Amino acid sequence: MKLVELLQLRAATALDDLPEAQVRELQTALGEAGFDPQGVDGTMGPDTKSAWAEFKDATSEDNPDVIGPGSVGELQKMLDTAGALIPSGPIWVPRFPNSTSVDDLRGSFKEGCVAFLSALRSAGVNVTVTSTLRPPQRAFLMHFAKAIAEGDISPSQVEHRADIPIQWVHPTNAASVDAAQAMVAGYGIMGPVALDSNHIRGQAIDMFISWSGTPSVRDAAGNPVSLVGEPDANNAALVRTGATYGVIRGRGITGDPEHWSFNGR
């Protein structure tokens, strides 16, 4: 795609000041570059602003509320390589985003999560959901970024996927590893990342949990449970309570204390 309307910009311009034709072109371009604006309607809404902010973050540019010749040029460069392989690195982190909505979970696990979180919040417990449904493309990127960063696989050995035009191999192996490590840091990876996981099936949730004092939480049977002890996901009473809802604390996942699923994996 070659930009036309946006090339008319001669100075930094507030997103809200763009005319409809430029907004439409921006939305189309962002979508082709992998930053989904949730449709092309010529309206500068929150989804388009969010996609533009992701693009600016991926290209290490400041001020996501404006657009100008420099950022338009960076967008054109990305569009020019959209049909080719794009080097690994932080630019991939915003793509194929995780959902943080409990509504995207599935089946009885979704029902259990809704009830468990409601019980926690009703008791004054702080809950921040960081991940629910994960696209398989994101799992692929996370898995192999970690494997390359830790030296478990050579960049040249990663299987190519047609729907993920990433180039893991850089001019030097050190550069390939550095790019993978930057992705690991950008993703905030704390534990292993499986290619096929409960997250991909909508049967897992990552969430940070904390509280003060000794709150009393109702289990699935309505019985009060006092959360005595550590005010986090390691709390034994909390883990037992979650299990009554079918929300099982991740077992044996080193360095990843926020993971819960239907079976603890």
Side-chain angles (χ1 to χ4, degrees):
M1 175 183 178
K2 294 296 182 182
L3 300 175
V4 177
E5 298 291 339
L6 292 172
L7 291 178
Q8 298 177 26
L9 292 171
R10 295 291 180 265
T13 303
L15 292 179
D16 288 329
D17 291 339
L18 294 180
E20 180 179 343
Q22 289 183 338
V23 174
R24 284 184 177 277
E25 185 173 76
L26 178 62
Q27 290 170 327
T28 302
L30 285 170
E32 290 193 11
F35 304 92
D36 189 3
Q38 303 296 317
V40 177
D41 59 7
T43 300
M44 183 54 69
D47 290 328
T48 302
K49 290 181 178 179
S50 177
W52 180 247
E54 289 179 1
F55 164 78
K56 280 217 161 182
D57 183 63
T59 53
S60 301
E61 293 190 67
D62 296 327
N63 199 343
D65 298 322
V66 302
I67 182 173
S71 51
V72 169
E74 289 297 318
L75 180 57
Q76 184 63 71
K77 289 179 185 178
M78 190 174 292
L79 291 170
D80 289 343
T81 60
L85 297 182
I86 301 171
S88 57
I91 193 171
W92 283 94
V93 174
R95 300 190 177 199
F96 310 111
N98 282 334
S99 171
T100 58
S101 173
V102 177
D103 289 338
D104 287 331
L105 295 173
R106 295 168 183 165
S108 59
F109 181 71
K110 172 182 177 179
E111 296 173 2
C113 277
V114 170
F116 182 38
L117 268 61
S118 176
L120 291 174
R121 288 168 172 154
S122 294
V125 174
N126 303 310
V127 180
T128 301
V129 177
T130 60
S131 178
T132 55
L133 187 65
R134 174 176 296 154
Q137 296 93 334
R138 189 174 184 86
F140 174 90
L141 290 168
M142 294 174 70
H143 175 88
F144 284 108
K146 189 171 187 293
I148 292 170
E150 296 183 350
D152 295 332
I153 189 172
S154 168
S156 62
Q157 293 177 319
V158 180
E159 180 182 355
H160 175 68
R161 282 186 55 148
D163 58 341
I164 308 176
I166 187 171
Q167 175 59 271
W168 295 103
V169 180
H170 290 245
T172 66
N173 186 66
S176 299
V177 173
D178 286 346
Q181 290 174 339
M183 291 175 68
V184 169
Y187 286 123
I189 297 173
M190 295 185 291
V193 182
L195 290 173
D196 182 24
S197 70
N198 287 326
H199 274 297
I200 294 173
R201 292 186 287 273
Q203 294 183 314
I205 184 171
D206 290 347
M207 52 187 173
F208 286 110
I209 302 174
S210 65
W211 62 87
S212 58
T214 308
S216 179
V217 179
R218 297 280 178 179
D219 65 16
N223 302 309
V225 179
S226 295
L227 300 185
V228 178
E230 299 172 277
D232 56 34
N234 294 310
N235 185 282
L238 175 70
V239 172
R240 290 195 301 272
T241 302
T244 68
Y245 290 94
V247 182
I248 312 300
R249 167 83 152 73
R251 303 190 187 99
I253 305 177
T254 304
D256 193 3
E258 60 172 320
H259 182 76
W260 305 70
S261 70
F262 84 102
N263 61 1
R265 294 194 293 270

